[in-house]
């Protein structure tokens, strides 16, 4: 049995030798691949760092953009409020302008009425002056007549 095992072992030796050579070749390939992988990793480190830096910058930019969008929305809302206030102010100005125009028209009408009353008053004043002169003249005449009558009566009484 021993010799049979030795024969089998002898028959297996070239196969084992080949397997060992193949294993060594695979180990060398694995070492080469590992060295290449290490070299790639070494090359990728700066790119990886740059990628991280870019991702960080991109995150910061997105965050900044979101903050700017919030500010823009606030500004739009404020502008909308101001536009509504402006519409209200314009409306109030128009109302006041209409009131002012109405008051000016009323004032013009009152000024015309005052001018008419002033003219009528002037006319009445003129008529009163004429009446005063006429009345004064009549009173003088009457007074003169009565005075003359009284003087005659006084002379008769004397």
């Amino acid at each position: 049995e021993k010799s049979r095992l030795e024969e089998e072992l002898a028959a297996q030796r070239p196969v084992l030798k080949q397997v060992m050579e193949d294993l060594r070749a695979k180990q060398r390939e694995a070492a080469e691949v590992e060295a290449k992988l290490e070299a790639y990793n070494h090359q990728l480190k700066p790119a990886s760092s740059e990628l991280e830096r870019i991702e960080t910058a991109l995150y910061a930019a997105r965050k900044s953009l979101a903050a700017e969008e919030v500010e823009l929305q606030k500004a739009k809302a404020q502008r909308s409020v101001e536009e509504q206030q402006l519409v209200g102010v314009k409306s109030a100005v128009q109302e006041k302008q209409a009131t002012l125009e109405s008051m000016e028209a009323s004032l013009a009408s009152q000024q015309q009425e005052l001018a008419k009353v002033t003219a009528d008053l002037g006319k009445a004043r003129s008529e009163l002056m004429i009446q005063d002169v006429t009345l004064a003249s009549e009173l003088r005449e009457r007074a003169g007549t009565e005075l003359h009558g009284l003087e005659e009566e006084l002379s008769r009484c004397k």
Side-chain angles (χ1 to χ4, degrees), residues 9 17 21 25 27 40 43 55 62 64 68 92 97 101 108-109 119 125 128 157:
L9 184 62
K17 192 176 180 183
E21 283 179 23
Q27 285 176 339
Y40 286 139
Q43 289 175 351
E55 286 174 344
R62 284 182 179 152
S64 175
E68 287 177 12
Q97 208 167 15
E101 288 172 2
S109 173
R125 209 180 265 155
L128 279 175
C157 289

Side-chain angles (χ1 to χ4, degrees), residues 44-81:
L44 287 179
K45 273 189 181 180
S48 178
S49 296
E50 181 66 15
L51 183 59
E52 282 181 30
R53 188 192 65 73
I54 290 170
E55 286 174 344
T56 302
L58 184 59
Y59 174 77
R62 284 182 179 152
K63 192 174 179 181
S64 175
L65 180 61
E68 287 177 12
E69 286 178 4
V70 167
E71 288 301 315
L72 179 62
Q73 291 303 320
K74 286 180 185 177
K76 283 181 180 179
Q78 179 65 28
R79 182 176 178 192
S80 176
V81 166

Side-chain angles (χ1 to χ4, degrees), residues 23-136:
L23 182 60
R24 285 187 198 115
K26 294 288 183 189
Q27 285 176 339
R28 280 191 304 274
E29 279 181 37
E32 287 174 8
V33 167
E34 197 172 312
K36 285 180 182 178
L37 186 59
E38 188 64 33
Y40 286 139
N41 281 339
H42 184 68
Q43 289 175 351
L44 287 179
K45 273 189 181 180
S48 178
S49 296
E50 181 66 15
L51 183 59
E52 282 181 30
R53 188 192 65 73
I54 290 170
E55 286 174 344
T56 302
L58 184 59
Y59 174 77
R62 284 182 179 152
K63 192 174 179 181
S64 175
L65 180 61
E68 287 177 12
E69 286 178 4
V70 167
E71 288 301 315
L72 179 62
Q73 291 303 320
K74 286 180 185 177
K76 283 181 180 179
Q78 179 65 28
R79 182 176 178 192
S80 176
V81 166
E82 288 172 356
E83 284 175 350
Q84 289 174 355
Q85 289 173 343
L86 182 60
V87 167
V89 168
K90 283 181 180 179
S91 177
V93 166
Q94 287 175 344
E95 286 177 22
K96 288 182 180 186
Q97 208 167 15
T99 301
L100 180 61
E101 288 172 2
S102 173
M103 292 171 110
E104 285 174 345
S106 176
L107 179 61
S109 173
Q110 289 175 357
Q111 285 174 334
Q112 287 177 346
E113 187 65 30
L114 180 61
K116 184 179 173 190
V117 168
T118 302
D120 290 347
L121 187 58
K123 191 175 178 183
R125 209 180 265 155
S126 294
E127 289 176 7
L128 279 175
M129 287 172 74
I130 292 171
Q131 288 177 2
D132 279 351
V133 169
T134 305
L135 186 57

